[in-house]
Amino acid sequence: MGAPLRKLSGDPECKNGTCPTLWGTDDGNDYVVQGYVINDPEQAVQLDRLVSLSRLPNVTVVVVPLAGRMPDFPMTCFSLHDDRLVIVETFHSEITTRDPRDVQTYVDTFHRFAGVSLSDSLG
């Protein structure tokens, strides 16, 4: 018998218990994703990559639900590297900036999305 699972995230608006939910063990060694079946091999590879990244100590993966109001329109991808560096991926290029005003813009954007995520630990 394995370690007991605890609910890590899920949609609080879910009415019938069939919505995607993430479960994990307290030791962080095992995860269970309850939800929709992924039949597309590319999506399975992407999910595997997310799971791998989520195990890194400086990476947090949360769910932002499709339903509901988004705080911004996500036009680009970006990654924050502490409070001194942000890398922004646009449609045609990658921009690296250390300008404190630029970095703060993306820190604020991150917090707006974290605020609507299904995680209790961000926001």
Side-chain angles (χ1 to χ4, degrees):
M1 184 161 133
L5 296 174
R6 65 182 173 91
K7 187 175 181 179
L8 300 175
S9 88
D11 186 349
E13 303 294 319
C14 185
K15 303 288 188 234
N16 58 10
T18 61
C19 299
T21 305
L22 179 63
W23 302 84
T25 56
D26 285 333
D27 61 11
N29 288 328
D30 295 298
Y31 296 92
V32 174
V33 177
Q34 168 192 339
Y36 310 119
V37 175
I38 297 175
N39 292 319
D40 183 345
E42 286 183 28
Q43 288 180 339
V45 169
Q46 290 173 353
L47 182 58
D48 182 64
R49 177 75 173 140
L50 284 174
V51 170
S52 296
L53 288 172
S54 74
R55 293 185 173 139
L56 296 173
N58 60 336
V59 173
T60 301
V61 176
V62 298
V63 176
V64 175
L66 290 175
R69 189 174 179 96
M70 290 294 109
D72 285 303
F73 184 75
M75 300 276 298
T76 62
C77 294
F78 63 92
S79 57
L80 295 170
H81 301 263
D82 62 42
D83 60 350
R84 296 179 303 234
L85 172 70
V86 65
I87 299 173
V88 182
E89 297 177 30
T90 69
F91 297 110
H92 71 289
S93 65
E94 183 177 278
I95 302 165
T96 301
T97 181
R98 288 182 167 80
D99 183 295
R101 294 169 298 185
D102 292 340
V103 173
Q104 189 60 50
T105 295
Y106 287 95
V107 168
D108 293 344
T109 300
F110 171 83
H111 284 293
R112 284 193 299 277
F113 278 101
V116 297
S117 75
L118 299 179
S119 172
D120 294 333
S121 62
L122 297 174

